[in-house]
Amino acid sequence: MLVVDDDDVIRQLIAVNLTLEGFQVDTASDGQDCLDRVLDVMPDVITLDVMMPRLDGWMTATRLRNGARTGHIKVVLITARAQEDDKRRGLGIGVDAYLTKPFDPAELIQVVRDLASTARTARSGRNGT
């Protein structure tokens, strides 16, 4: 897991909830930090805030999707932007889930668990196991 949010409190809240559920969690403070770290971490799932300095979640998700080595990573946008246009934009980029703040930690955990399971199944199929 890679948790990306410029708000320290939200980033730690997400990280603690996922850690308590047994996920190995790394964090990044914005989109550029995410892109700088993603190939070292190679997470199954990234939770990604939209409104961040340096590189926002829209551009970060787009770059992840277009990357030869990152296009398969599951991406969950977590944002205060709840308008339908924003959701459509996220789906157009190819994100796997879109949650709005304030979010229900139980819903987040379930979404991440489902996506991580799908990612592991796809990865084992690519490896021939």
Side-chain angles (χ1 to χ4, degrees):
M1 283 293 316
L2 183 57
V3 174
V4 186
D5 200 301
D6 62 315
D7 184 306
D8 292 338
V9 173
I10 293 173
R11 187 173 60 245
Q12 290 308 311
L13 172 70
I14 295 169
V16 165
N17 275 283
L18 293 172
T19 299
L20 290 172
E21 290 298 315
F23 291 99
Q24 180 181 340
V25 178
D26 289 284
T27 61
S29 59
D30 61 35
Q32 187 60 55
D33 191 23
C34 170
L35 295 177
D36 291 344
R37 303 193 65 228
V38 70
L39 293 178
D40 292 329
V41 176
M42 285 309 291
D44 288 328
V45 180
I46 296 174
T47 64
L48 187 60
D49 185 22
V50 170
M51 304 306 294
M52 295 183 289
R54 291 203 306 162
L55 190 62
D56 67 25
W58 303 120
M59 184 56 67
T60 304
T62 299
R63 289 186 183 176
L64 289 166
R65 278 292 167 255
N66 292 333
R69 295 178 58 201
T70 59
H72 67 281
I73 297 172
K74 304 297 183 187
V75 175
V76 179
L77 287 181
I78 301 177
T79 180
R81 298 181 64 109
Q83 292 80 16
E84 284 303 313
D85 286 347
D86 294 316
K87 291 179 183 180
R88 279 192 294 275
R89 183 176 179 185
L91 295 174
I93 290 170
V95 302
D96 300 284
Y98 192 104
L99 300 176
T100 55
K101 296 176 185 176
F103 58 89
D104 176 3
E107 180 183 12
L108 171 66
I109 290 164
Q110 188 60 54
V111 166
V112 169
R113 183 178 286 130
D114 291 347
L115 291 174
S117 175
T118 301
R120 283 189 292 271
T121 300
R123 188 176 56 238
S124 67
R126 284 192 307 265
N127 293 338
T129 58

